[in-house]
Amino acid sequence: MSEAFYTIVMGLRGFIKEYFHSFWDYETPKVMVVKNRTLGVIYRAVQFLVITYFIWYVFISQKAYQETESRPDSSVYTRMKGTAVHGDDILDTVEYARPSEGGDVISTLLRREFTYDQRQGTCAEYFNVPNANCTTDSDCVEGEVDFEGHGRRTGRCIQYYNHTFKTCEIQSWCPIEEYAVVREPPLVEAINFTVFIRNSIHFPKFKVLRGNIKRADYRKTKRYLNKCHYHEDTEPYCPNFRLGYIANKARENFTELCRTGGVIGVFINWDCNLDLDPSHCKPTYSFRRLDLRKDEDNSGYYYRFAKYYNKNGVESRTLIKAYGIRLDIIVHGQAGKFSPIPTIISTVTALTSVGICSIICDWIMLTFIDKNEVYSDRKFDEVIKEPIEHIPTELSYISSFGSNHSDLSEGVPL
Amino acid sequence: MSEAFYTIVMGLRGFIKEYFHSFWDYETPKVMVVKNRTLGVIYRAVQFLVITYFIWYVFISQKAYQETESRPDSSVYTRMKGTAVHGDDILDTVEYARPSEGGDVISTLLRREFTYDQRQGTCAEYFNVPNANCTTDSDCVEGEVDFEGHGRRTGRCIQYYNHTFKTCEIQSWCPIEEYAVVREPPLVEAINFTVFIRNSIHFPKFKVLRGNIKRADYRKTKRYLNKCHYHEDTEPYCPNFRLGYIANKARENFTELCRTGGVIGVFINWDCNLDLDPSHCKPTYSFRRLDLRKDEDNSGYYYRFAKYYNKNGVESRTLIKAYGIRLDIIVHGQAGKFSPIPTIISTVTALTSVGICSIICDWIMLTFIDKNEVYSDRKFDEVIKEPIEHIPTELSYISSFGSNHSDLSEGVPL
Amino acid sequence: MSEAFYTIVMGLRGFIKEYFHSFWDYETPKVMVVKNRTLGVIYRAVQFLVITYFIWYVFISQKAYQETESRPDSSVYTRMKGTAVHGDDILDTVEYARPSEGGDVISTLLRREFTYDQRQGTCAEYFNVPNANCTTDSDCVEGEVDFEGHGRRTGRCIQYYNHTFKTCEIQSWCPIEEYAVVREPPLVEAINFTVFIRNSIHFPKFKVLRGNIKRADYRKTKRYLNKCHYHEDTEPYCPNFRLGYIANKARENFTELCRTGGVIGVFINWDCNLDLDPSHCKPTYSFRRLDLRKDEDNSGYYYRFAKYYNKNGVESRTLIKAYGIRLDIIVHGQAGKFSPIPTIISTVTALTSVGICSIICDWIMLTFIDKNEVYSDRKFDEVIKEPIEHIPTELSYISSFGSNHSDLSEGVPL
């Protein structure tokens, strides 16, 4: 125990002493230079590939020398514009855009289904609800609330409105939507509605603030920004987007959208290389439908709301099932700027990767080229387990000449 | 100055000349092979540990060979379903779900506190407001607006409604909520309400689009999606979530929630390994209460809104303080796919880490095993500061045989 | 072909045999120790710089030993408080805060422009709309809907309200806003409104849950949380923010904001070092205006909504253009905790970077210090392309003594 401890302490002491003694020495690995053209060509070719890969792909294409920041702070303000005439009904932005506050989700009505003059009372349940069909009162359980139904059953079996068959009576908002619904034709003029989108982003790490409305545009008359319509090629800086343009770019049929409604994503993408001037940092827009639409039952977008009023002292409502387009403004951003840390990490990785070339070339050299073991003799200096200790001085002198092959060391005549 | 400059130029010239001359040479480090079983075993053991660590933890567990993308684009559409009977009052989705547009935040009423028939006028301030209690008009400062109060003081001291004490009169919506409030019992039937959640995500980098409603389900009848209720084990692909199930999974008491309201997060987690088929990329759901609830005063969820109407030509309102559950649908996602860059970086790091073994083993070798300095003699070829310059040819010839020990070099008889 | 194949197989066989034979050998690079003080000092200085850089910048400042998680789950609940008296009009939170549900975006009215008593009908178009001015009916195309106008033209040219000039008649909500608008003075008392912000965050990876309201505060009376106003220095844990304080911190003039409206970001920043106790993880708040405001036409924040009512059996509305402050509560978060993987990767990178020192020092050594090529002779062991094969034993014996210079090897007399 104390023996081992002593050895460790001595080892450490020796190590520390040695360390301080040789602190100012410079150590550099010994290198064997192989003057073999084949090997040199292979070595340089592999090196060239690795370096090219790093310079082209990692540094130029992936910009690995940049510190990046993604998902900037984003603020979106939206406002719908346009007027539609629907029979004698005029719809302006207050009527069709919801919610009115103008955040990053805005929807516009395209088609409405009205159920007028509903009030709380009793009426016949919809015939398609399970167990709603009845012939006598005993078919209807009083107080039962069916999950798919519209209200609580009163226990009576009554005529289904002006039809001949009967369904259970329920306590509900009457008449029920399925019976009394009035479908309006779609608001096809909505194809010309525009949505004004103002987006400003901020990269907190780089302290860069950008907006999607160009400064230069500000100096133009207010009329320009009111009149222009965004177009990828001709008007890339106009912040007014026609619904028809959006639907088209999202590869959707506007007439079909009017029928089922839909959710469309407006993607604003900021890809900023801040090594250039921030003014080069401009948004690109893309549009994609977000609700899956393989089956019509489950895609589409609609919601219900009601307008309440007092009719002869009774609270009444007009129930509106509204199909529409919901625009989700989704902002993506990424900024990159030169920074020493990723540069150093990438460079070190690159340099280290060059070391892989040596592994490959060593293997080739030792296996295919080195037939007479000349290279391996020189590269590998084998030291046997039990070093020859008590050699006469001259021999020791000779043997300590860096002989590289154990056979040789072993072959020294004692 | 010009001397130094000349030296540098010569140095560079020599360097470049040398460089081109030896461009096709292959350089490989010289290696000492130590045939010592103890050291070999230690070396291989350390190497094994490092390699195992990298293969198991970094590559298999952390999937370091994959390029990842997190936070996909997400679109959420929600719709509440269910009917509740509240006395003679029927509440359907239009009444209890807000906002109606169906975004990623949806709330349902669970309990309402009504203040009926408020209109603008003057009435007594709530007695708990600081300095509201008074005995004479001089206690009330005209025009003062207390931050915790309900309006502007008129300067008069009046009877507190039908009580015997007096408070300052204020100009406000009268009567005040604290006095006139009517509390409704909670809507316990809401435990059976369901919320339909449609979520589609998109990983832009990998161009993968997924939805939480399975294609196969689409082919089933519409009725299935209307009827089913999500259950982790039995119905994992049904997008209808019972409020009772959500509260239960969030470990909340529904009755308690009805009393105080609360914000519950519905977490949809997409963890996608895109090296497999995208169809393996399925969401998992989890539920957690988001408002801290140690103190009842500050947790919970309620909001106030009003219904306006015209009563005898005067604008009146019914103020409603609504306690409810707000569901925040929060979508997480992460996708990984094999990519050469992270693979190379991880591999290079792994290979480099193996180099650490050498540092450890060198220290062991030189400190504990190398008692006779045989190894260090061979490993280190010390070169003294002032090299012997004018040696006769033969001696020079001999001394240049790579002798590895400075003692030796110094021992050459001049 | 078979020759080449045989060679490869033999090569592989030899390689594998060799590999297993020497599996337990320990290989360590041979190193040349240069006892040159200048070089040693340069070497240590470069090493010191690299190590200092890694320890200070990478490990201490950038905390590269930590696993990080950013963008935590966040839940925000907001509630406006305060009462304003506007002439004889009392505005409480129900009137001025929208939407009422209290999510992460909340707006308050500051100034309203009313257009009273609009109803669907026909009236004169606004004179500033293109082509709206007319002298005879023939100037107005029936059925035309101008994008900047308010409705569909009837084809008649009528007097512009009580003015002397004429414009085209349109079917619209009449009278038009531009003619009938009534501007209200701004709600300057709103400077004292407060917004209560409750934010709770969750780092899923680290399973840490934090809220912006301190536990200790919970134990204080309810009154404290109702009364206090946030102040960076004196009340950093109070969750009530005065609008005036917010505007001030965002360096905005409140009076100016009342005029144009604006979007202000309330940034809640969580920077958590989870190696310390989670209770050290506290939010900091900052405030910044989010809408660009170089040009008044395009910055600012307003929205329109309407109050509908029934007047003598005709659906009428009061159109309100509301200027206000929209607060976007934006939560940032980042948490770091010690983890072995980033530590190992950073350490390995650091150690590898130290290797760069050798490259620099080698270049210095070989170019400037090594005048007599003593160092390069020792460092580089050149092996010529065609190794001397059939040398008599003694000479072979001698030549295999690691001679370091090709000139020398070539100089061996055959």
Side-chain angles (χ1 to χ4, degrees):
Chain A
M1 187 68 196
S2 64
E3 181 85 352
F5 181 74
Y6 179 79
T7 313
I8 288 168
V9 168
M10 282 298 104
L12 271 172
R13 213 179 108 182
F15 179 77
I16 290 162
K17 197 177 152 192
E18 167 84 2
Y19 185 76
F20 276 100
H21 189 245
S22 62
F23 186 81
W24 299 110
D25 293 351
Y26 172 59
E27 296 182 1
T28 181
K30 296 190 80 167
V31 167
M32 175 172 74
V33 179
V34 180
K35 293 213 164 287
N36 179 312
R37 181 58 61 96
T38 319
L39 208 59
V41 169
I42 293 170
Y43 182 62
R44 291 296 172 192
V46 174
Q47 236 180 15
F48 178 78
L49 279 177
V50 170
I51 288 166
T52 308
Y53 163 79
F54 269 95
I55 288 173
W56 266 111
Y57 191 70
V58 178
F59 282 89
I60 293 176
S61 161
Q62 300 284 313
K63 296 202 177 61
Y65 59 89
Q66 288 189 333
E67 189 179 29
T68 59
E69 182 173 26
S70 60
R71 310 258 165 188
D73 300 336
S74 162
S75 166
V76 172
Y77 172 60
T78 51
R79 208 164 59 220
M80 299 286 302
K81 283 183 203 167
T83 309
V85 185
H86 207 285
D88 285 340
D89 215 19
I90 307 294
L91 287 163
D92 59 8
T93 172
V94 172
E95 318 276 312
Y96 60 74
R98 279 171 75 106
S100 50
E101 289 89 355
D104 56 357
V105 173
I106 194 165
S107 68
T108 176
L109 295 186
L110 291 180
R111 188 164 67 83
R112 292 180 293 186
E113 295 183 4
F114 291 98
T115 308
Y116 292 105
D117 255 340
Q118 280 192 324
R119 59 182 70 186
Q120 303 226 348
T122 58
C123 52
E125 175 64 286
Y126 182 46
F127 59 83
N128 233 349
V129 170
N131 306 319
N133 293 289
C134 59
T135 44
T136 63
D137 289 357
S138 58
D139 294 339
C140 300
V141 182
E142 191 186 334
E144 197 187 49
V145 179
D146 190 88
F147 180 70
E148 291 180 65
H150 296 79
R152 182 170 56 181
R153 297 190 180 173
T154 59
R156 290 197 297 156
C157 184
I158 60 164
Q159 196 189 336
Y160 187 70
Y161 303 95
N162 47 7
H163 288 75
T164 50
F165 59 91
K166 285 176 152 189
T167 61
C168 291
E169 192 188 53
I170 50 164
Q171 186 188 359
S172 179
W173 285 90
C174 288
I176 60 164
E177 188 183 9
E178 281 85 351
Y179 166 70
V181 69
V182 177
R183 289 188 178 81
E184 224 185 40
L187 206 69
V188 285
E189 285 159 304
I191 202 166
N192 286 322
F193 288 175
T194 61
V195 57
F196 168 81
I197 300 175
R198 189 178 64 203
N199 173 226
S200 59
I201 58 157
H202 181 239
F203 289 101
K205 203 198 280 174
F206 299 126
K207 296 191 173 36
V208 169
L209 181 72
R210 299 290 299 158
N212 70 328
I213 303 178
K214 275 211 309 186
R215 288 284 153 78
D217 293 340
Y218 283 140
R219 283 182 217 113
K220 293 181 188 176
T221 54
K222 186 177 175 179
R223 177 149 291 178
Y224 167 74
L225 281 177
N226 278 344
K227 272 176 81 174
C228 72
H229 288 173
Y230 173 84
H231 189 282
E232 209 174 351
D233 305 315
T234 58
E235 294 276 13
Y237 302 117
C238 172
N240 298 309
F241 298 82
R242 267 184 73 244
L243 288 192
Y245 183 84
I246 290 175
N248 185 30
K249 283 286 166 185
R251 289 195 210 124
E252 293 296 322
N253 183 324
F254 197 81
T255 316
E256 184 64 21
L257 274 177
C258 284
R259 204 174 60 78
T260 60
V263 181
I264 295 185
V266 175
F267 296 87
I268 307 183
N269 194 50
W270 297 86
D271 197 356
C272 297
N273 181 355
L274 298 178
D275 291 332
L276 307 175
D277 189 81
S279 66
H280 288 87
C281 171
K282 288 168 192 166
T284 54
Y285 301 91
S286 58
F287 309 91
R288 198 163 43 76
R289 185 151 175 193
L290 293 178
D291 54 319
L292 297 169
R293 54 185 187 285
K294 295 287 157 184
D295 177 52
E296 283 164 26
D297 287 338
N298 286 294
S299 63
Y301 173 69
Y302 68 86
Y303 59 90
R304 285 187 179 87
F305 65 97
K307 286 185 172 176
Y308 293 87
Y309 56 92
N310 198 300
K311 193 174 180 181
N312 307 326
V314 182
E315 190 186 27
S316 304
R317 71 177 192 187
T318 298
L319 177 69
I320 300 158
K321 183 176 180 181
Y323 288 84
I325 291 180
R326 192 179 84 186
L327 298 177
D328 290 10
I329 320 293
I330 297 172
V331 179
H332 285 280
Q334 187 168 311
K337 198 173 189 175
F338 171 79
S339 170
I341 292 199
T343 308
I344 286 171
I345 288 178
S346 300
T347 309
V348 166
T349 308
L351 291 176
T352 318
S353 300
V354 170
I356 291 170
C357 310
S358 291
I359 296 173
I360 298 167
C361 291
D362 272 8
W363 181 70
I364 293 170
M365 178 181 82
L366 298 175
T367 314
F368 299 110
I369 296 170
D370 185 30
K371 279 174 190 158
N372 298 291
E373 303 211 333
V374 173
Y375 296 138
S376 62
D377 279 5
R378 289 285 185 88
K379 183 173 171 68
F380 299 107
D381 175 15
E382 292 197 11
V383 178
I384 52 167
K385 203 169 146 191
E386 295 297 329
I388 307 116
E389 287 180 15
H390 305 288
I391 321 170
T393 323
E394 313 94 272
L395 277 172
S396 151
Y397 181 86
I398 290 165
S399 79
S400 70
F401 276 61
S403 63
N404 296 320
H405 199 50
S406 62
D407 293 348
L408 223 164
S409 299
E410 283 156 11
V412 167
L414 293 177
Chain B
M1 186 67 195
S2 65
E3 181 87 351
F5 182 73
Y6 179 78
T7 313
I8 287 168
V9 168
M10 283 296 105
L12 270 174
R13 213 178 108 181
F15 180 77
I16 290 161
K17 197 177 152 192
E18 167 86 1
Y19 184 77
F20 277 100
H21 187 247
S22 62
F23 186 79
W24 299 110
D25 293 350
Y26 172 60
E27 296 182 0
T28 180
K30 295 190 78 167
V31 167
M32 174 172 73
V33 179
V34 180
K35 292 211 165 289
N36 179 311
R37 182 59 60 96
T38 318
L39 208 58
V41 168
I42 292 169
Y43 182 62
R44 290 299 171 189
V46 175
Q47 236 180 15
F48 177 78
L49 280 177
V50 170
I51 289 167
T52 307
Y53 163 78
F54 268 94
I55 289 176
W56 265 111
Y57 191 69
V58 179
F59 282 88
I60 293 177
S61 161
Q62 299 284 313
K63 295 203 178 64
Y65 58 89
Q66 288 189 332
E67 190 178 28
T68 57
E69 182 173 25
S70 59
R71 310 260 165 184
D73 299 337
S74 162
S75 166
V76 171
Y77 173 59
T78 51
R79 209 163 59 219
M80 299 288 301
K81 282 183 203 168
T83 309
V85 185
H86 206 284
D88 284 339
D89 215 18
I90 306 295
L91 288 164
D92 60 7
T93 172
V94 172
E95 318 276 314
Y96 61 74
R98 280 173 76 106
S100 51
E101 290 89 354
D104 56 358
V105 173
I106 194 165
S107 68
T108 177
L109 296 186
L110 291 180
R111 187 162 70 80
R112 292 180 292 186
E113 295 183 4
F114 291 97
T115 308
Y116 293 106
D117 256 340
Q118 280 192 325
R119 60 182 68 189
Q120 303 226 350
T122 57
C123 51
E125 175 64 287
Y126 182 46
F127 58 83
N128 234 348
V129 170
N131 307 320
N133 293 289
C134 59
T135 44
T136 63
D137 288 356
S138 59
D139 296 340
C140 299
V141 182
E142 191 185 335
E144 195 187 51
V145 179
D146 190 89
F147 179 71
E148 290 179 66
H150 296 78
R152 183 171 56 182
R153 298 192 180 171
T154 59
R156 291 197 296 156
C157 183
I158 59 164
Q159 196 190 338
Y160 185 71
Y161 302 94
N162 46 8
H163 288 74
T164 50
F165 58 91
K166 285 175 154 190
T167 60
C168 290
E169 192 188 51
I170 49 166
Q171 186 189 359
S172 178
W173 285 91
C174 289
I176 60 165
E177 188 183 9
E178 281 84 351
Y179 165 70
V181 69
V182 176
R183 288 187 177 80
E184 225 186 39
L187 208 68
V188 284
E189 285 159 305
I191 202 167
N192 285 322
F193 288 174
T194 61
V195 56
F196 169 81
I197 300 175
R198 190 178 64 204
N199 173 228
S200 59
I201 58 158
H202 181 238
F203 290 101
K205 202 198 281 175
F206 299 126
K207 296 190 173 38
V208 168
L209 182 72
R210 300 290 300 159
N212 71 328
I213 303 178
K214 276 212 307 186
R215 289 285 152 78
D217 294 340
Y218 282 140
R219 284 182 215 114
K220 294 181 187 176
T221 55
K222 186 177 174 179
R223 176 148 292 177
Y224 167 74
L225 281 177
N226 278 344
K227 271 176 81 174
C228 73
H229 288 172
Y230 173 83
H231 189 281
E232 209 174 351
D233 305 316
T234 57
E235 294 275 12
Y237 302 117
C238 172
N240 298 309
F241 297 82
R242 266 184 74 242
L243 287 191
Y245 182 83
I246 289 175
N248 186 31
K249 283 285 165 185
R251 290 195 209 124
E252 291 297 322
N253 183 324
F254 197 82
T255 316
E256 183 65 21
L257 275 177
C258 283
R259 203 173 62 77
T260 61
V263 181
I264 295 184
V266 175
F267 296 87
I268 307 183
N269 195 48
W270 297 85
D271 197 356
C272 296
N273 181 354
L274 298 177
D275 291 331
L276 307 176
D277 189 81
S279 66
H280 287 87
C281 172
K282 289 167 192 166
T284 53
Y285 301 91
S286 58
F287 309 90
R288 198 164 44 74
R289 187 153 175 192
L290 293 178
D291 53 319
L292 297 169
R293 55 183 185 286
K294 297 287 157 185
D295 177 52
E296 282 163 26
D297 284 338
N298 286 294
S299 63
Y301 172 69
Y302 68 87
Y303 59 90
R304 285 187 178 86
F305 64 97
K307 285 185 171 176
Y308 292 87
Y309 55 92
N310 199 300
K311 193 173 179 180
N312 307 325
V314 182
E315 190 185 27
S316 304
R317 71 177 192 187
T318 298
L319 177 68
I320 299 159
K321 183 176 180 181
Y323 288 85
I325 291 179
R326 192 177 85 186
L327 298 177
D328 289 11
I329 321 292
I330 297 172
V331 179
H332 285 279
Q334 185 167 312
K337 200 174 189 175
F338 172 80
S339 169
I341 292 199
T343 309
I344 286 171
I345 288 177
S346 299
T347 309
V348 166
T349 309
L351 291 176
T352 318
S353 300
V354 170
I356 291 170
C357 310
S358 290
I359 297 172
I360 297 167
C361 290
D362 272 8
W363 182 70
I364 293 171
M365 179 181 82
L366 297 174
T367 314
F368 299 110
I369 296 172
D370 186 32
K371 280 174 189 158
N372 299 293
E373 301 211 336
V374 172
Y375 296 138
S376 63
D377 281 4
R378 289 285 185 91
K379 183 173 169 67
F380 299 107
D381 175 17
E382 291 195 13
V383 179
I384 53 168
K385 201 170 149 189
E386 296 296 331
I388 307 116
E389 286 179 15
H390 305 289
I391 321 169
T393 322
E394 314 92 272
L395 276 172
S396 150
Y397 181 85
I398 289 165
S399 80
S400 70
F401 276 61
S403 62
N404 297 321
H405 199 51
S406 62
D407 294 349
L408 224 163
S409 299
E410 283 157 8
V412 167
L414 294 174
Chain C
M1 186 66 194
S2 64
E3 181 85 352
F5 182 74
Y6 179 79
T7 314
I8 286 168
V9 168
M10 281 299 104
L12 270 173
R13 212 177 107 181
F15 180 77
I16 289 161
K17 197 175 151 191
E18 168 85 2
Y19 184 76
F20 276 100
H21 188 245
S22 62
F23 186 80
W24 298 111
D25 293 352
Y26 172 60
E27 296 181 359
T28 180
K30 295 188 82 166
V31 167
M32 176 172 74
V33 179
V34 180
K35 293 210 164 288
N36 180 311
R37 183 57 62 96
T38 318
L39 209 57
V41 168
I42 293 170
Y43 182 62
R44 291 299 171 190
V46 175
Q47 236 180 13
F48 177 78
L49 279 178
V50 170
I51 289 167
T52 307
Y53 163 78
F54 269 95
I55 288 174
W56 265 111
Y57 190 69
V58 179
F59 282 89
I60 293 176
S61 161
Q62 299 284 311
K63 295 202 178 65
Y65 58 88
Q66 287 189 334
E67 189 178 29
T68 58
E69 182 172 24
S70 59
R71 309 259 165 187
D73 300 336
S74 162
S75 167
V76 171
Y77 172 59
T78 51
R79 209 163 60 220
M80 300 286 301
K81 282 183 205 168
T83 308
V85 184
H86 207 283
D88 284 339
D89 215 18
I90 306 296
L91 287 164
D92 60 7
T93 173
V94 172
E95 317 277 313
Y96 61 74
R98 279 172 75 105
S100 51
E101 289 89 356
D104 56 359
V105 173
I106 194 164
S107 68
T108 178
L109 296 186
L110 291 180
R111 188 164 67 83
R112 292 179 293 186
E113 296 182 4
F114 291 96
T115 309
Y116 293 105
D117 256 340
Q118 280 192 325
R119 59 182 69 189
Q120 305 226 347
T122 58
C123 51
E125 176 64 287
Y126 182 45
F127 58 83
N128 233 349
V129 170
N131 307 319
N133 294 289
C134 59
T135 45
T136 64
D137 290 355
S138 59
D139 295 339
C140 300
V141 182
E142 190 186 337
E144 196 186 50
V145 179
D146 190 89
F147 179 71
E148 290 180 65
H150 295 78
R152 182 171 56 181
R153 297 192 179 170
T154 59
R156 291 198 296 157
C157 184
I158 59 164
Q159 195 191 337
Y160 186 71
Y161 304 94
N162 46 7
H163 289 74
T164 51
F165 59 91
K166 284 176 153 191
T167 60
C168 290
E169 192 189 52
I170 49 165
Q171 185 189 0
S172 179
W173 284 90
C174 288
I176 59 164
E177 189 184 8
E178 281 84 352
Y179 165 70
V181 69
V182 177
R183 289 189 176 79
E184 223 185 42
L187 207 67
V188 284
E189 287 160 301
I191 202 167
N192 286 321
F193 288 174
T194 62
V195 57
F196 168 81
I197 300 175
R198 190 177 64 204
N199 173 227
S200 59
I201 57 157
H202 181 237
F203 289 102
K205 201 198 280 175
F206 299 127
K207 296 190 172 40
V208 168
L209 181 74
R210 299 290 300 159
N212 71 328
I213 304 178
K214 275 212 308 187
R215 288 285 153 77
D217 294 340
Y218 283 140
R219 282 181 219 113
K220 294 180 188 177
T221 55
K222 186 179 175 178
R223 178 148 290 179
Y224 168 73
L225 282 177
N226 279 344
K227 272 176 81 174
C228 72
H229 288 174
Y230 173 84
H231 189 282
E232 208 174 352
D233 305 316
T234 58
E235 294 275 12
Y237 302 117
C238 171
N240 298 309
F241 298 82
R242 266 183 75 243
L243 287 193
Y245 182 84
I246 290 175
N248 186 31
K249 284 285 165 185
R251 289 193 211 127
E252 292 297 322
N253 183 324
F254 198 81
T255 316
E256 183 65 20
L257 274 177
C258 284
R259 204 174 61 78
T260 61
V263 181
I264 295 185
V266 175
F267 295 86
I268 306 183
N269 194 49
W270 297 85
D271 196 356
C272 296
N273 181 354
L274 297 178
D275 292 332
L276 308 175
D277 189 80
S279 66
H280 287 87
C281 171
K282 288 168 192 166
T284 54
Y285 301 91
S286 57
F287 309 90
R288 198 164 43 75
R289 187 154 175 192
L290 294 178
D291 54 319
L292 297 168
R293 54 184 186 285
K294 296 287 157 184
D295 177 50
E296 282 163 27
D297 284 339
N298 286 292
S299 62
Y301 172 69
Y302 68 86
Y303 59 91
R304 285 188 178 85
F305 65 97
K307 286 185 172 176
Y308 293 87
Y309 55 92
N310 199 302
K311 193 172 179 181
N312 307 327
V314 182
E315 190 185 27
S316 305
R317 71 176 191 187
T318 299
L319 177 69
I320 300 157
K321 183 175 178 181
Y323 288 85
I325 291 179
R326 192 180 83 186
L327 298 177
D328 290 10
I329 321 293
I330 297 173
V331 179
H332 284 279
Q334 185 166 313
K337 200 173 189 176
F338 172 78
S339 169
I341 292 199
T343 309
I344 287 171
I345 288 177
S346 300
T347 309
V348 166
T349 309
L351 291 177
T352 318
S353 300
V354 170
I356 291 170
C357 310
S358 291
I359 297 172
I360 297 166
C361 291
D362 272 9
W363 181 70
I364 293 170
M365 178 180 81
L366 298 174
T367 313
F368 299 109
I369 296 171
D370 185 33
K371 280 173 188 159
N372 299 293
E373 303 211 336
V374 173
Y375 296 138
S376 62
D377 280 3
R378 289 286 185 87
K379 183 174 170 66
F380 299 107
D381 175 14
E382 292 196 12
V383 178
I384 53 166
K385 201 171 147 190
E386 295 298 328
I388 307 115
E389 286 180 18
H390 306 288
I391 321 168
T393 323
E394 314 92 271
L395 276 172
S396 149
Y397 181 86
I398 290 164
S399 79
S400 70
F401 276 61
S403 63
N404 297 321
H405 200 50
S406 61
D407 294 347
L408 225 165
S409 300
E410 281 156 12
V412 167
L414 291 176

